[in-house]
Amino acid sequence: MFSDVFAQIESRFNPSHSRTGIYDPSAAVATISTVDKGIDAARQFVRSLLTRRNALVPISLLPPEILSRVFHLLVLEEPRFSGGRSPGRIRVTHVCRHWRQVALDDSSLWAKIWGIPATTKWISEMLARAKNAPLDIEFNEVTMSSPGAFLMIPPHISHTRKLRFHGLYKYDFDGVRELYSREAPALEHFELTVASRSLLTFPDLGGNMLFNGHAPRLRTFSLSRVVIPWSLIPRGQLTQLKIVCPNEDGYSSGDLNQLVDLLVNCPALEFLAFEFCLPSQLTELPHGRTIHLPHLSRLRLCGSTSRILNMLKMLKLPSSTKLYLNCISKITSIRNDSEGPLLAVISAQFQSPIPVEFKSLTVTIRHQMTNSDSLNITASTFPSTLRNRHTGDFEGDIDGNAELVLSFDGLLKPGHSTDLLEQACKMLPISNLEFISMSATDIIDINWVEILSCCTNITTMQVIGHGASSLVRALTAPTVTNTVSNKGGRKRKHDNRESTLVQTFSTVVHAHAAIFPKLKLLGLTELNFSEDNYPSGILFDVFERGLQQRMAASGVPLEALCIDDCNISTEHANDLQNLVQDFYWDEKQGSIDGPEDFDDYEEPLYAPWGHGFVGRGIALPAWHSNWWDNYERFHNDQDEY
């Protein structure tokens, strides 16, 4: 084969001509052309050999359907916003001819348009490869590198199944108008979020219907910073609905009758979120209105306390519905009295028809210089608070035991937060609590024994912030006789610790039993063990006595004690270590600087939809209802470092 090519070259080009000075340009061109054809033929021959070789490897024996399935799994592993990196589905087309053909023949592989810069060239190619497959499109302000990219989507809305647009700007509004003017017969999921400095209003949309009034398969609908009449929102088959406004002024003129009509015609709703968009008419309760949502599993309401209260009074929900409430009260008086009735409504929600017993309680009290009070309440039959962080989906799965989260922010009146906490503990079913977490920046003056004495099943407790030190003191029962110290006779070895301590403190007489008799795991963060602002004495002495009492009462020490960022000396830490089975201390001995350090250890417990927060609490990575497993893992591995 190649010898024939060389023969043709020899016949057309004689090297002796160049030596004699005779040069024929036309012959040189013809010779180069012959050489190029030979090169092409050689390359084609090599490709043919490679193709035959690839066909013999085991992976090429897989049916195209299986190989295509593998490609889909690779797409699922792609980062949704991967910058300039080449997505996996592109890389598989460059492996071999067979893989490329399998990938191109599967139109659904190209129907997910996200994860790369959304240039018009790329979108055009993806849409061409997707053909008529149901589209899943997501644009983000980070990936929108071409202003005209958004306008390429509306012509394909007829076979689009999911649309997610986040962080759009005003120059994208033309695309939104074009999108809303077209029918969407295949659309199931729609999310639209406008950038923080923009606001999309009804006049910006044009027309009087969304999706030209035809979106029969729509199940999830989410708008953020988009102000439209309630009557325009699709209904009927919705299972998830979320409307977010930056403040209540945008929706203050919204028609309450339209909102009621919307909810009445969405009986299949499972997730519902209204953030700062409830109509102003809800300031006063409209009588004779009841909205049945028998399938609702999560409800999130943010806004004025009075509007939320009256909205709750209108809703008839299952007792299993999880509530996220962010209640704002303007500082027009020293105290707002809407919270009491609100707690009563919440209590009624979880007491009928099937009573709910909360297993987890998390409380955060923060005082900030604001012009409004903020009360955040999360109540649920499932503890997603400490286990499930926000997911990429509209909603995540939930499981577990009932939980209650209370957060008080910016309550300026002294004692207001403690009054509300006392009311909540008295109204809500907390007698079966197993986990409690208390966080406070300012001193909480409350009778813990009175409101928590019924919580005899608590096994795990977390206290964060110097303001919650009174709860630590409440773990120690007042004594009639002084406790015998005998610190010098303590033995450091674990084997002899238990019997020595039981003998030493078995004669202590108590005025009443300590709360939480079943307490096993205790975590303390940002406490000052030198604190002596209470008549009971220095915090360390009180806490040490409490540990001694528990050992005397049960015959065994506390299972685990974790101390982080506390003001405690090495000597005192060693003393506490002798009173528990397992002890963790970060060995910090410095003084606590005060509330300004408190935020360093704070992280929001909830963000189920990825926007804002629903209730705030403090959760150290190791301290939650599953903490014991993590602690054992740390305890067993610490010798390896």
Side-chain angles (χ1 to χ4, degrees), residues 368-383:
Q368 299 175 327
M369 297 304 296
T370 63
N371 60 356
S372 64
D373 288 347
S374 175
L375 168 62
N376 301 287
I377 300 176
T378 301
S380 167
T381 57
F382 303 100

PDB file of all heavy atoms in Angstrom, residues 368-383:
ATOM      1  N   GLN A 368     -29.693  42.262  70.174  1.00  0.00           N
ATOM      2  CA  GLN A 368     -28.994  43.085  69.203  1.00  0.00           C
ATOM      3  C   GLN A 368     -29.662  44.453  69.124  1.00  0.00           C
ATOM      4  O   GLN A 368     -30.851  44.600  69.423  1.00  0.00           O
ATOM      5  CB  GLN A 368     -29.021  42.430  67.817  1.00  0.00           C
ATOM      6  CG  GLN A 368     -28.332  41.070  67.777  1.00  0.00           C
ATOM      7  CD  GLN A 368     -28.496  40.400  66.433  1.00  0.00           C
ATOM      8  OE1 GLN A 368     -29.512  40.556  65.772  1.00  0.00           O
ATOM      9  NE2 GLN A 368     -27.501  39.651  66.031  1.00  0.00           N
ATOM     10  N   MET A 369     -28.907  45.439  68.695  1.00  0.00           N
ATOM     11  CA  MET A 369     -29.446  46.794  68.532  1.00  0.00           C
ATOM     12  C   MET A 369     -30.165  46.875  67.198  1.00  0.00           C
ATOM     13  O   MET A 369     -29.569  47.151  66.159  1.00  0.00           O
ATOM     14  CB  MET A 369     -28.325  47.830  68.631  1.00  0.00           C
ATOM     15  CG  MET A 369     -27.631  47.866  69.983  1.00  0.00           C
ATOM     16  SD  MET A 369     -28.796  48.142  71.342  1.00  0.00           S
ATOM     17  CE  MET A 369     -29.380  49.795  70.925  1.00  0.00           C
ATOM     18  N   THR A 370     -31.448  46.605  67.191  1.00  0.00           N
ATOM     19  CA  THR A 370     -32.265  46.654  65.984  1.00  0.00           C
ATOM     20  C   THR A 370     -33.523  47.460  66.271  1.00  0.00           C
ATOM     21  O   THR A 370     -33.816  47.814  67.414  1.00  0.00           O
ATOM     22  CB  THR A 370     -32.660  45.238  65.526  1.00  0.00           C
ATOM     23  OG1 THR A 370     -33.464  44.626  66.545  1.00  0.00           O
ATOM     24  CG2 THR A 370     -31.424  44.374  65.307  1.00  0.00           C
ATOM     25  N   ASN A 371     -34.262  47.745  65.195  1.00  0.00           N
ATOM     26  CA  ASN A 371     -35.520  48.472  65.362  1.00  0.00           C
ATOM     27  C   ASN A 371     -36.712  47.532  65.369  1.00  0.00           C
ATOM     28  O   ASN A 371     -37.838  47.946  65.162  1.00  0.00           O
ATOM     29  CB  ASN A 371     -35.677  49.514  64.252  1.00  0.00           C
ATOM     30  CG  ASN A 371     -35.681  48.870  62.868  1.00  0.00           C
ATOM     31  OD1 ASN A 371     -35.486  47.666  62.740  1.00  0.00           O
ATOM     32  ND2 ASN A 371     -35.898  49.685  61.851  1.00  0.00           N
ATOM     33  N   SER A 372     -36.454  46.251  65.563  1.00  0.00           N
ATOM     34  CA  SER A 372     -37.552  45.294  65.587  1.00  0.00           C
ATOM     35  C   SER A 372     -37.165  44.080  66.405  1.00  0.00           C
ATOM     36  O   SER A 372     -35.988  43.748  66.542  1.00  0.00           O
ATOM     37  CB  SER A 372     -37.932  44.861  64.167  1.00  0.00           C
ATOM     38  OG  SER A 372     -36.856  44.182  63.557  1.00  0.00           O
ATOM     39  N   ASP A 373     -38.180  43.440  66.980  1.00  0.00           N
ATOM     40  CA  ASP A 373     -37.993  42.166  67.663  1.00  0.00           C
ATOM     41  C   ASP A 373     -38.082  41.052  66.639  1.00  0.00           C
ATOM     42  O   ASP A 373     -38.778  41.154  65.638  1.00  0.00           O
ATOM     43  CB  ASP A 373     -39.084  41.955  68.720  1.00  0.00           C
ATOM     44  CG  ASP A 373     -38.899  42.874  69.920  1.00  0.00           C
ATOM     45  OD1 ASP A 373     -37.820  43.476  70.028  1.00  0.00           O
ATOM     46  OD2 ASP A 373     -39.836  42.994  70.725  1.00  0.00           O
ATOM     47  N   SER A 374     -37.400  39.965  66.917  1.00  0.00           N
ATOM     48  CA  SER A 374     -37.468  38.815  66.024  1.00  0.00           C
ATOM     49  C   SER A 374     -37.606  37.553  66.854  1.00  0.00           C
ATOM     50  O   SER A 374     -36.759  37.262  67.693  1.00  0.00           O
ATOM     51  CB  SER A 374     -36.212  38.730  65.147  1.00  0.00           C
ATOM     52  OG  SER A 374     -36.236  37.561  64.361  1.00  0.00           O
ATOM     53  N   LEU A 375     -38.687  36.843  66.623  1.00  0.00           N
ATOM     54  CA  LEU A 375     -38.918  35.564  67.286  1.00  0.00           C
ATOM     55  C   LEU A 375     -38.956  34.481  66.226  1.00  0.00           C
ATOM     56  O   LEU A 375     -39.802  34.509  65.332  1.00  0.00           O
ATOM     57  CB  LEU A 375     -40.241  35.601  68.063  1.00  0.00           C
ATOM     58  CG  LEU A 375     -40.770  34.255  68.574  1.00  0.00           C
ATOM     59  CD1 LEU A 375     -39.791  33.650  69.562  1.00  0.00           C
ATOM     60  CD2 LEU A 375     -42.142  34.418  69.194  1.00  0.00           C
ATOM     61  N   ASN A 376     -38.030  33.550  66.294  1.00  0.00           N
ATOM     62  CA  ASN A 376     -37.972  32.448  65.335  1.00  0.00           C
ATOM     63  C   ASN A 376     -38.350  31.154  66.031  1.00  0.00           C
ATOM     64  O   ASN A 376     -37.783  30.813  67.065  1.00  0.00           O
ATOM     65  CB  ASN A 376     -36.569  32.316  64.740  1.00  0.00           C
ATOM     66  CG  ASN A 376     -36.147  33.586  64.034  1.00  0.00           C
ATOM     67  OD1 ASN A 376     -36.627  33.888  62.967  1.00  0.00           O
ATOM     68  ND2 ASN A 376     -35.247  34.329  64.660  1.00  0.00           N
ATOM     69  N   ILE A 377     -39.298  30.458  65.456  1.00  0.00           N
ATOM     70  CA  ILE A 377     -39.767  29.204  66.036  1.00  0.00           C
ATOM     71  C   ILE A 377     -39.743  28.136  64.957  1.00  0.00           C
ATOM     72  O   ILE A 377     -40.256  28.336  63.858  1.00  0.00           O
ATOM     73  CB  ILE A 377     -41.200  29.340  66.593  1.00  0.00           C
ATOM     74  CG1 ILE A 377     -41.249  30.414  67.692  1.00  0.00           C
ATOM     75  CG2 ILE A 377     -41.695  28.003  67.131  1.00  0.00           C
ATOM     76  CD1 ILE A 377     -42.636  30.681  68.214  1.00  0.00           C
ATOM     77  N   THR A 378     -39.145  27.020  65.273  1.00  0.00           N
ATOM     78  CA  THR A 378     -39.212  25.859  64.395  1.00  0.00           C
ATOM     79  C   THR A 378     -39.741  24.704  65.229  1.00  0.00           C
ATOM     80  O   THR A 378     -39.139  24.342  66.241  1.00  0.00           O
ATOM     81  CB  THR A 378     -37.837  25.500  63.821  1.00  0.00           C
ATOM     82  OG1 THR A 378     -37.347  26.619  63.084  1.00  0.00           O
ATOM     83  CG2 THR A 378     -37.926  24.297  62.909  1.00  0.00           C
ATOM     84  N   ALA A 379     -40.844  24.159  64.822  1.00  0.00           N
ATOM     85  CA  ALA A 379     -41.447  23.045  65.542  1.00  0.00           C
ATOM     86  C   ALA A 379     -41.746  21.942  64.546  1.00  0.00           C
ATOM     87  O   ALA A 379     -42.317  22.192  63.485  1.00  0.00           O
ATOM     88  CB  ALA A 379     -42.726  23.492  66.246  1.00  0.00           C
ATOM     89  N   SER A 380     -41.338  20.733  64.888  1.00  0.00           N
ATOM     90  CA  SER A 380     -41.452  19.660  63.921  1.00  0.00           C
ATOM     91  C   SER A 380     -41.557  18.310  64.609  1.00  0.00           C
ATOM     92  O   SER A 380     -41.067  18.133  65.724  1.00  0.00           O
ATOM     93  CB  SER A 380     -40.236  19.654  62.999  1.00  0.00           C
ATOM     94  OG  SER A 380     -40.164  18.470  62.254  1.00  0.00           O
ATOM     95  N   THR A 381     -42.176  17.378  63.924  1.00  0.00           N
ATOM     96  CA  THR A 381     -42.179  15.994  64.394  1.00  0.00           C
ATOM     97  C   THR A 381     -40.935  15.268  63.922  1.00  0.00           C
ATOM     98  O   THR A 381     -40.754  14.098  64.222  1.00  0.00           O
ATOM     99  CB  THR A 381     -43.422  15.250  63.873  1.00  0.00           C
ATOM    100  OG1 THR A 381     -43.450  15.319  62.436  1.00  0.00           O
ATOM    101  CG2 THR A 381     -44.678  15.871  64.416  1.00  0.00           C
ATOM    102  N   PHE A 382     -40.072  15.961  63.173  1.00  0.00           N
ATOM    103  CA  PHE A 382     -38.851  15.342  62.641  1.00  0.00           C
ATOM    104  C   PHE A 382     -37.664  16.262  62.890  1.00  0.00           C
ATOM    105  O   PHE A 382     -37.766  17.470  62.667  1.00  0.00           O
ATOM    106  CB  PHE A 382     -38.975  15.087  61.138  1.00  0.00           C
ATOM    107  CG  PHE A 382     -40.137  14.227  60.767  1.00  0.00           C
ATOM    108  CD1 PHE A 382     -41.295  14.796  60.282  1.00  0.00           C
ATOM    109  CD2 PHE A 382     -40.073  12.862  60.911  1.00  0.00           C
ATOM    110  CE1 PHE A 382     -42.373  14.015  59.937  1.00  0.00           C
ATOM    111  CE2 PHE A 382     -41.143  12.074  60.565  1.00  0.00           C
ATOM    112  CZ  PHE A 382     -42.301  12.641  60.081  1.00  0.00           C
ATOM    113  N   PRO A 383     -36.498  15.726  63.327  1.00  0.00           N
ATOM    114  CA  PRO A 383     -35.354  16.586  63.636  1.00  0.00           C
ATOM    115  C   PRO A 383     -34.408  16.781  62.472  1.00  0.00           C
ATOM    116  O   PRO A 383     -33.304  16.286  62.472  1.00  0.00           O
ATOM    117  CB  PRO A 383     -34.656  15.820  64.766  1.00  0.00           C
ATOM    118  CG  PRO A 383     -34.880  14.405  64.398  1.00  0.00           C
ATOM    119  CD  PRO A 383     -36.228  14.348  63.705  1.00  0.00           C
TER     120      PRO A 383
END
